[in-house]
């Protein structure tokens, strides 16, 4: 009754009534017992003495005084006996009251035990349903396992397929031997040594050197030609010496056929011709390459086999690494010139046609001259320039045009001068060659890449052009492709695009350039990835960081910290009932090459790695967890929903059950660390704790580590680096990582809530203390700010959830310059992580709960409060902006609380969390 807190509960009323009734009963009893004998006695004695009822009428009798005294005595006696009786009754009443109180207590106790039994039952039910789930999952996994597809070993003598009638008809289906490349083969590539064929001597030494270096660092390369799926031959670009003329195409053909694995028709061979100059020979045109595919920058239409040959980018940076810091910033969006074009035509199309029309060309066109738009283009662009409506720069003659193919617009001047002009251009025009048969040319390729490199948005005039890797790269996201016939509408079109779209295109262009074209390694990677994607073989899995464990003694039994584990009456989730559960890995091996190639090629980080899991997997509709795809889900209340109690018993949400791993970076603070670890005791859904021991000094021998009922893995690091916090340790077996500092104080309910929120925003950083980037008006630069603010753009990774995917990206994909800066300042790794995630997702982080700081109030001040720390963080921000070319961070103005937080609830309902 006490628990009802004064409310007149339904169970309270009968007890009050009963108490009233008892009082009434005892009064009646008292009346009967006391007054009835008195009256009876008096009556009886009167009859006795008078001899009859009417005697009294005759006046007082003799001896009345004596009689009176006796009467009083009698009365006294009666009174005594009555009061004695009363005392006895009182005692009895008290006894009964005592009994009642005892019974009440027992009822209370019974009620309590019912409650706890109910709780136990709920727990048991959970265990049963967990076990049932696990059983079902086991059964589901036990469905007849498909063995790996039969690995077809190609027959040495039998080329398998009948060769197509002409090499021109070659497609993957008719010319490629899939038997050499099983889906699970891992795509082994054999590269011929350029010294093994005499043609190799003529190859430009710089191209050769860059190629050889790239081959060395490529993981698909195998030394064993008998297992290879693809055979790569570097055939160009050739260097002409006046002393020794180039060998003839027939000579090359002979040498190709003599290659040891050519196997009569060159199937599964790729002839790679990398151009460094804008004038590049198209010598393969006159070579019969059999069933080998070609990868080069220049193709004539009659030569190019769609879906089989590859248009590749020219090799702009053969050996030098491009310096990302020299790339101009992406903002302001609009630059000095709306568009620019500089070029010179060596020969007009008409004159080239008169001299030597390509054979097939004449046949197809039946003598009709093709529309030559070049004159119209020149006229229109000049008119735009003269109108001064926008500042544009067009030049159709130049001082020193670079050698180029006839009919192509030659590049003007030196690369550096061209880049200077492009840096001032919003758009860069790329006019495809007048010869419509030239579907790709090295000259146009160079224009395209020089534009992308400095953030000028390419406008390709001539929609017949085949841009590099167009099967996979969606160029319309980074460049504007217009038919030449629209030249008069071009100015209007370019002016109509919004800044938002322009910046998105510029950003995408930067991504494409950086990922596919910027270095010779990228160029080779991309060529191989393109073939690999076309034949649907998955990429090699990304590297995990092998965790070298430091052995340690567990022993200290961890208690529970009452202050930190408090969530009112609620359990936060199944602790002992849930076995460790690692996130499933590699469920989408073939998704990236067989289904989702668009995303793999057009979104960071590109197609080069296979990730065990990503935060971007599509979610199932809700009914799927009940009908058909039900393994692994833990719907709340079994699907019926519910408030606090049911909520805490199941994970719910839109994704199957999972656990998280705590990754804790520590540096020589053993006691702080031990306390921190102890506080993790009893945390539901915790899979494992990985302690990153960031010191060369091992932990002291006599240190007793708390036993929290879970593995604590202590990993050795090579050097003291804050980047170690984000290494993708193989010991981390869950998708969710909770990164916490060794001195971070978080309550269990806060952690649980953070985990649940992260599960719904798996691509974001979800954490507690917020920070933001502020514009310094005086210095026109960014400042790091930790003041209380209604807007935030970063969440400190000293207490935050993120997906392991970002650990791979941080360690292996993010530009090295950023990690170097983190090491130099021993600071800013959290800023770097926020930059990375916002760059990839274009979303701000998510802040949960009202907490703004996560360190314990009484702890010694962390270093994050002195001035130099802040100063460094300002510097980091501005440096990172330079590396990315723009400020990736985005502001957010809301934080997340649990659903029933601050909602008034009826008595029979409980909140999801008591305090958050
Ligand atoms: C192919 O050979 C013919 C005849 O030798 C020559 O005229 C032509 O220019 C060559 N084509 C290319 C693209 O090299
Ligand atoms: C997917 O790839 C990973 C890594 O290469 C491999 O371990 C796993 O067995 C593959 N799964 C399937 C179904 O092929
Ligand atoms: C934070 O706020 C205080 C007082 O409003 C101000 O003096 C200080 O400069 C602010 N700090 C930063 C980093 O902006």
């Amino acid at each position: 009754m006490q628990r009802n807190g004064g409310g007149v509960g339904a169970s309270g009323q009968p007890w009050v009534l009963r108490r009233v009734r008892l009082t009434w009963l005892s009064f009646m009893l008292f009346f009967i017992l006391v007054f009835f004998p008195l009256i009876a006695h008096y009556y009886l004695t009167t009859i006795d003495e008078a001899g009859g009822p009417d005697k009294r009428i005759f006046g007082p009798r003799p001896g009345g005084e004596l009689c009176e005294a006796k009467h009083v005595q009698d009365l006294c006696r009666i009174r005594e006996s009555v009061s004695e009786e009363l005392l006895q009754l009182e005692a009895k009443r008290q006894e009964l009251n005592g009994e009642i109180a005892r019974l009440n207590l027992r009822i209370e106790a019974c009620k309590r035990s019912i409650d706890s039994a109910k709780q136990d039952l709920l727990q048991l039910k959970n265990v049963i349903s967990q076990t049932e789930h696990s059983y079902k999952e086991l059964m589901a996994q036990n469905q007849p396992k498909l063995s790996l597809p039969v690995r077809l070993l190609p027959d040495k003598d039998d080329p398998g397929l009948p060769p197509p009638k002409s090499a021109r008809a070659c497609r993957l289906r008719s010319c490629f031997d899939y038997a050499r490349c099983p889906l699970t083969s891992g795509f082994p590539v054999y590269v011929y040594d350029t010294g093994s064929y005499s043609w190799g001597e003529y190859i430009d030494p710089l191209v050769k050197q860059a190629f050889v270096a790239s081959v060395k660092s490529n993981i698909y390369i195998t030394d064993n030609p008998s297992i290879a799926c693809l055979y790569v031959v570097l055939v160009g670009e050739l260097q002409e010496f006046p002393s020794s003329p180039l060998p003839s195409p027939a000579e090359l053909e002979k040498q190709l056929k003599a290659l040891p694995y050519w196997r009569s028709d060159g199937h599964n061979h790729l002839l790679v011709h990398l151009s460094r100059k804008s004038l590049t020979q198209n010598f393969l045109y006159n070579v019969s390459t059999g069933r080998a595919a070609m990868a080069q920058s220049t193709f004539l239409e009659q030569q190019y086999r769609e879906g089989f040959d590859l248009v590749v980018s020219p090799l702009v940076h053969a050996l030098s690494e491009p310096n990302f810091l020299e790339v101009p910033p992406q903002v302001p969006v609009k630059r000095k010139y709306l568009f620019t074009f500089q070029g010179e035509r060596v020969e007009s199309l008409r004159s080239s046609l008169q001299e030597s029309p390509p054979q097939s060309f004449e046949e197809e066109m039946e003598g009709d001259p093709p529309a030559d738009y070049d004159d119209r283009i020149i006229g229109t662009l000049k008119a735009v320039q003269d109108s001064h409506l926008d500042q544009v720069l067009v030049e159709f003659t130049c001082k020193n045009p670079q050698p180029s193919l006839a009919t192509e617009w030659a590049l003007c001047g030196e690369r550096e001068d061209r880049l200077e002009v492009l840096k001032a251009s919003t758009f860069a025009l790329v006019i495809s060659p007048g010869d419509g048969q030239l579907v790709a040319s090295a000259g146009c390729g160079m224009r395209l890449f020089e534009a992308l490199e400095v953030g000028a948005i390419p406008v390709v005039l001539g929609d017949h052009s085949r841009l590099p890797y167009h099967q996979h790269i969606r160029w319309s996201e980074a460049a504007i492709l217009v038919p030449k016939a629209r030249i008069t509408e071009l100015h209007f079109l370019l002016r109509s695009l919004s800044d938002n779209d322009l910046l998105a295109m510029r950003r995408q262009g930067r991504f494409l350039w950086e990922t596919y074209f910027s270095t010779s390694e990228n160029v080779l990677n991309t060529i191989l990835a393109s073939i690999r994607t076309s034949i649907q073989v998955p990429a090699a899995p990304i590297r995990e960081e092998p965790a070298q464990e430091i052995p340690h003694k567990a022993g200290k039994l961890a208690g529970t910290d009452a202050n930190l584990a408090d969530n009112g009456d609620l359990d936060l989730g199944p602790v002992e009932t849930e076995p460790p559960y690692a996130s499933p890995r590699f469920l989408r091996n073939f998704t990236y090459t067989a289904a989702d190639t668009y995303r793999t090629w057009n979104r960071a980080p590109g197609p080069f790695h296979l990730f065990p899991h990503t935060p971007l997997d599509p979610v199932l509709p809700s009914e799927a967890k009940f009908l058909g795809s039900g393994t692994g889900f833990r719907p709340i209340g079994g699907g019926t929903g519910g408030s606090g109690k049911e909520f805490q018993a199941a994970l719910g949400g839109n994704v199957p059950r999972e656990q998280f791993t705590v990754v804790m970076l520590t540096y020589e603070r053993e006691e702080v660390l031990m306390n921190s670890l102890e506080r993790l005791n009893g945390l539901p859904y915790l899979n494992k704790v990985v302690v990153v021991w960031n010191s060369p000094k091992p932990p002291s021998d006599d240190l007793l580590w708390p036993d929290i009922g879970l593995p604590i893995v202590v990993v050795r690091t090579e050097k003291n680096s804050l980047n170690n916090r984000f290494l993708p340790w193989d010991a981390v077996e869950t998708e969710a990582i909770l990164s916490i500092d060794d001195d971070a104080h978080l309550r269990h309910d806060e952690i649980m809530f953070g985990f649940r929120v992260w599960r719904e925003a798996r691509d974001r950083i979800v954490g507690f203390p917020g920070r933001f980037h502020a514009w310094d008006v005086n210095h026109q630069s960014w400042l790091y700010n930790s003041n209380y603010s209604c807007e935030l753009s970063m969440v400190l990774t000293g207490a935050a959830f993120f997906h392991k995917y970002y650990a791979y990206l941080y360690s292996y994909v993010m530009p090295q310059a950023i990690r170097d800066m983190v090491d130099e300042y021993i600071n800013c790794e959290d800023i770097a992580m926020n930059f990375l995630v916002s760059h990839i997702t274009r979303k701000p982080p998510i802040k949960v709960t009202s907490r703004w700081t996560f360190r314990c109030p009484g702890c010694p001040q962390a270093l994050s409060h002195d001035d130099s720390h802040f100063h460094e963080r300002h510097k980091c921000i501005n440096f990172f902006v330079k590396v990315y070319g723009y400020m990736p961070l985005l502001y957010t103005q809301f934080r997340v609380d649990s659903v029933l937080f601050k909602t008034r609830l009826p008595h029979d309902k409980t909140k999801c969390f008591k305090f958050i």
Side-chain angles (χ1 to χ4, degrees):
M1 267 179 289
Q2 296 292 63
R3 279 157 39 120
N4 281 333
V8 184
S11 62
Q13 209 127 6
W15 286 101
V16 176
L17 278 181
R18 221 168 291 170
R19 201 172 274 172
V20 170
R21 210 177 295 156
L22 267 174
T23 326
W24 169 240
L25 268 176
S26 43
F27 176 74
M28 289 288 287
L29 215 66
F30 178 79
F31 179 82
I32 292 165
L33 291 177
V34 177
F35 289 96
F36 186 73
L38 257 176
I39 294 162
H41 184 84
Y42 177 75
Y43 188 68
L44 284 177
T45 36
T46 318
I47 290 172
D48 243 21
E49 279 155 19
D54 46 348
K55 267 188 200 162
R56 286 187 103 191
I57 311 163
F58 307 114
R61 289 172 312 164
E65 267 180 26
L66 196 98
C67 180
E68 248 170 33
K70 192 177 170 243
H71 195 75
V72 168
Q73 264 179 359
D74 275 354
L75 278 178
C76 287
R77 216 179 49 241
I78 286 166
R79 204 195 64 181
E80 256 164 42
S81 84
V82 162
S83 69
E84 195 146 304
E85 245 167 308
L86 261 178
L87 278 176
Q88 276 170 10
L89 277 170
E90 176 58 26
K92 200 151 195 172
R93 196 183 68 92
Q94 269 175 13
E95 200 178 299
L96 281 171
N97 269 353
E99 185 79 357
I100 286 162
R102 267 197 304 283
L103 284 174
N104 272 348
L105 280 178
R106 265 180 63 185
I107 285 164
E108 293 277 319
C110 280
K111 273 189 174 169
R112 268 200 303 276
S113 73
I114 286 172
D115 276 352
S116 88
K118 267 188 189 159
Q119 200 71 23
D120 285 353
L121 193 68
L122 202 74
Q123 280 243 328
L124 273 175
K125 270 189 185 157
N126 276 339
V127 177
I128 290 169
S129 77
Q130 294 272 358
T131 320
E132 260 173 15
H133 278 305
S134 310
Y135 179 71
K136 269 194 214 144
E137 277 153 26
L138 210 67
M139 293 316 284
Q141 281 158 15
N142 261 357
Q143 61 180 205
K145 210 173 168 181
L146 281 184
S147 56
L148 287 180
V150 185
R151 189 177 170 130
L152 301 166
L153 265 184
D155 193 331
K156 266 217 174 87
D157 308 321
D158 176 21
L161 298 158
K165 283 200 195 78
S166 79
R168 180 83 184 91
C170 256
R171 295 292 179 271
L172 281 176
R173 62 179 178 275
S174 54
C175 284
F176 193 82
D177 183 6
Y178 279 89
R180 302 201 69 89
C181 312
L183 287 177
T184 52
S185 63
F187 194 59
V189 175
Y190 178 81
V191 178
Y192 286 98
D193 178 4
T194 48
S196 68
Y197 43 99
S198 56
W199 184 271
E201 290 167 28
Y202 297 93
I203 297 173
D204 181 331
L206 214 58
V207 169
K208 215 189 309 190
Q209 205 181 336
F211 182 77
V212 169
S214 314
V215 163
K216 270 209 191 95
S217 66
N218 194 289
I219 48 171
Y220 297 100
I221 307 299
T222 174
D223 297 336
N224 181 357
S226 65
I227 60 153
C229 156
L230 189 71
Y231 298 80
V232 174
V233 195
L234 183 69
V235 295
E237 128 184 289
L238 303 182
Q239 203 178 29
E240 285 174 81
F241 297 103
S243 52
S244 59
L246 290 181
S248 67
E251 180 61 23
L252 176 59
E253 207 170 307
K254 216 175 95 197
Q255 289 190 20
L256 287 177
K257 287 197 169 134
L259 287 174
Y261 311 103
W262 190 258
R263 298 187 183 101
S264 79
D265 60 1
H267 61 269
N268 293 30
H269 275 61
L270 181 68
L271 310 179
V272 177
H273 177 186
L274 298 171
S275 320
R276 226 163 48 78
K277 297 188 284 255
S278 55
L279 173 61
T280 197
Q281 318 90 337
N282 186 10
F283 52 82
L284 286 175
Y285 180 77
N286 277 336
V287 175
S288 162
T289 56
R291 290 160 81 176
M294 292 182 282
Q296 56 180 15
S297 309
T298 303
F299 274 109
L300 284 169
E301 186 157 36
Q302 53 270 47
Q303 171 191 22
Y304 179 66
R305 295 164 294 183
E306 184 82 55
F308 190 68
D309 292 324
L310 288 182
V311 181
V312 303
S313 57
L315 196 63
V316 178
H317 297 273
L319 282 177
S320 60
E321 287 272 322
N323 185 352
F324 294 117
L325 296 180
E326 281 170 11
V327 174
Q330 299 186 14
V331 179
V333 176
K334 300 250 170 67
R335 296 178 174 174
K336 181 177 172 193
Y337 299 112
L338 177 66
F339 59 82
T340 55
F341 179 80
Q342 292 174 300
E344 182 163 323
R345 250 182 334 175
V346 178
E347 215 178 326
S348 80
L349 177 64
R350 258 180 223 108
S351 57
S352 84
L353 281 178
Q354 277 155 14
E355 279 166 26
S356 61
Q359 300 155 354
S360 56
F361 182 76
E362 210 177 27
E363 288 157 21
E364 280 168 30
M365 294 298 174
E366 307 270 348
D368 273 346
D372 180 5
Y373 286 104
D374 282 7
D375 293 337
R376 237 158 100 190
I377 290 173
I378 295 171
T380 312
L381 295 182
K382 278 197 168 145
V384 173
Q385 179 162 257
D386 295 341
S387 74
H388 298 290
L389 289 170
D390 280 303
Q391 209 171 353
V392 305
L393 178 107
V394 285
E395 291 172 5
F396 299 102
T397 51
C398 42
K399 276 185 226 110
N400 50 345
Q402 302 296 301
S404 72
L405 292 178
T407 81
E408 186 172 37
W409 284 96
L411 291 161
C412 289
E414 294 304 313
R415 185 177 133 84
E416 281 66 38
D417 302 330
R418 295 196 300 267
L419 289 184
E420 280 315 307
V421 173
L422 290 172
K423 282 178 184 173
S425 319
T426 308
F427 294 100
L429 301 193
V430 180
I431 306 177
S432 61
D435 178 358
Q437 298 294 299
L438 204 55
V439 291
S441 72
C444 279
M446 288 217 168
R447 277 185 193 278
L448 183 69
F449 292 109
E450 284 177 0
L452 290 178
E453 182 170 351
V454 295
I457 298 165
V459 178
V460 181
L461 275 167
D463 56 345
H464 62 286
S465 299
R466 295 284 189 280
L467 300 187
Y469 314 106
H470 58 92
Q471 309 94 310
H472 306 305
I473 293 175
R474 192 173 289 176
W475 278 100
S476 59
E477 290 181 333
I480 294 181
L481 314 172
V482 227
K484 285 185 173 176
R486 288 215 183 274
I487 180 65
T488 51
E489 297 169 303
L490 186 69
H491 183 206
F492 174 79
L493 172 70
L494 298 186
R495 265 284 285 277
S496 74
L497 296 169
S498 74
D499 281 12
N500 307 45
D501 292 328
L502 293 184
L503 198 70
M505 293 183 83
R506 185 173 288 162
R507 234 171 60 80
Q508 182 69 5
R510 169 83 191 263
F511 158 72
L512 295 178
W513 178 74
E514 211 175 297
T515 313
Y516 300 117
F517 316 115
S518 59
T519 65
S520 55
E521 269 125 53
N522 289 350
V523 169
L524 178 67
N525 272 335
T526 309
I527 291 174
L528 296 187
S530 173
I531 304 244
R532 187 177 49 69
T533 307
S534 297
I535 59 170
Q536 304 183 330
V537 175
I542 195 156
R543 203 162 77 84
E544 306 234 24
E545 200 65 25
Q548 294 211 26
E549 262 193 71
I550 304 178
H552 62 274
K553 261 185 287 185
K556 208 164 104 200
L557 252 173
T560 41
D561 188 329
N563 283 331
L564 288 158
D566 188 17
N567 185 39
D569 295 339
L570 298 174
D571 280 335
L572 288 166
V575 183
E576 271 118 48
T577 58
E578 219 195 36
Y581 179 76
S583 298
R585 291 154 56 82
F586 294 113
L587 295 182
R588 306 182 78 219
N589 284 8
F590 302 106
T591 308
Y592 305 109
T593 45
D596 198 10
T597 54
Y598 162 74
R599 176 184 281 283
T600 20
W601 276 81
N602 294 283
R603 294 290 170 263
F608 305 128
H609 309 284
L610 179 65
F611 294 90
H613 19 58
T614 72
L616 312 162
D617 301 357
V619 289
L620 286 164
S622 295
E623 70 267 39
K625 62 180 103 163
F626 305 106
L627 309 172
S629 309
T631 57
F633 291 94
R634 296 289 184 269
I636 288 177
T640 57
S643 64
K645 274 217 169 71
E646 297 80 12
F647 175 70
Q648 295 295 355
L651 263 179
N654 300 311
V655 287
R657 69 144 155 174
E658 60 184 321
Q659 297 179 339
F660 64 94
T661 307
V662 163
V663 174
M664 201 181 275
L665 191 75
T666 188
Y667 186 81
E668 296 183 3
R669 288 201 286 191
E670 293 183 347
E671 185 168 342
V672 174
L673 174 70
M674 293 308 118
N675 292 339
S676 238
L677 289 173
E678 209 169 325
R679 281 197 298 274
L680 298 176
N681 192 28
L683 194 56
Y685 305 115
L686 179 56
N687 180 269
K688 188 188 283 180
V689 180
V690 174
V691 175
V692 181
W693 193 264
N694 218 1
S695 158
K697 211 174 92 192
S700 22
D701 288 336
D702 53 350
L703 190 63
L704 269 191
W705 295 63
D707 179 4
I708 57 169
L710 289 166
I712 295 180
V713 177
V714 187
V715 294
R716 201 188 303 273
T717 56
E718 262 164 37
K719 59 171 185 178
N720 173 20
S721 162
L722 290 174
N723 291 318
N724 291 337
R725 178 199 287 281
F726 299 131
L727 279 175
W729 301 104
D730 58 1
V732 175
E733 295 177 296
T734 59
E735 292 178 57
I737 291 178
L738 169 59
S739 160
I740 34 182
D741 286 348
D742 56 6
D743 59 350
H745 277 232
L746 288 176
R747 296 197 316 261
H748 281 194
D749 56 340
E750 291 172 318
I751 295 178
M752 279 304 87
F753 180 57
F755 179 50
R756 285 171 182 271
V757 172
W758 175 85
R759 279 166 49 80
E760 296 184 20
R762 308 170 74 84
D763 58 341
R764 320 272 278 267
I765 300 179
V766 173
F768 298 88
R771 300 291 183 262
F772 66 101
H773 63 296
W775 185 246
D776 180 350
V777 182
N778 297 327
H779 298 94
Q780 294 287 298
S781 66
W782 291 108
L783 290 173
Y784 172 84
N785 199 316
S786 69
N787 271 349
Y788 292 104
S789 160
C790 290
E791 211 170 38
L792 64 98
S793 57
M794 287 174 269
V795 154
L796 296 188
T797 51
F801 281 94
F802 58 84
H803 198 287
K804 191 179 176 191
Y805 178 70
Y806 294 118
Y808 296 107
L809 297 190
Y810 183 100
S811 305
Y812 307 136
V813 178
M814 188 178 77
Q816 178 65 36
I818 296 182
R819 286 186 298 272
D820 288 345
M821 176 125 191
V822 168
D823 277 340
E824 187 187 329
Y825 285 131
I826 319 181
N827 196 343
C828 306
E829 88 287 5
D830 48 355
I831 299 179
M833 188 52 131
N834 275 277
F835 266 66
L836 173 69
V837 176
S838 286
H839 172 65
I840 302 261
T841 61
R842 301 306 296 129
K843 290 175 192 166
I846 292 183
K847 170 173 169 42
V848 287
T849 79
S850 55
R851 205 181 249 279
W852 197 258
T853 170
F854 59 92
R855 288 179 211 284
C856 54
C859 290
Q861 277 296 338
L863 82 165
S864 49
H865 278 267
D866 58 54
D867 275 355
S868 72
H869 173 81
F870 263 87
H871 194 65
E872 285 164 7
R873 286 168 91 76
H874 301 323
K875 275 198 183 157
C876 288
I877 289 203
N878 289 300
F879 179 78
F880 296 166
V881 166
K882 267 217 178 104
V883 174
Y884 283 102
Y886 73 112
M887 165 50 89
L889 296 180
L890 293 163
Y891 294 110
T892 180
Q893 301 190 340
F894 66 85
R895 70 161 197 240
V896 177
D897 296 310
S898 72
V899 175
L900 293 177
F901 181 62
K902 294 210 166 169
T903 306
R904 290 178 66 88
L905 291 181
H907 299 289
D908 56 335
K909 296 275 187 285
T910 41
K911 300 217 174 216
C912 317
F913 290 94
K914 196 165 174 193
F915 304 115
I916 49 181

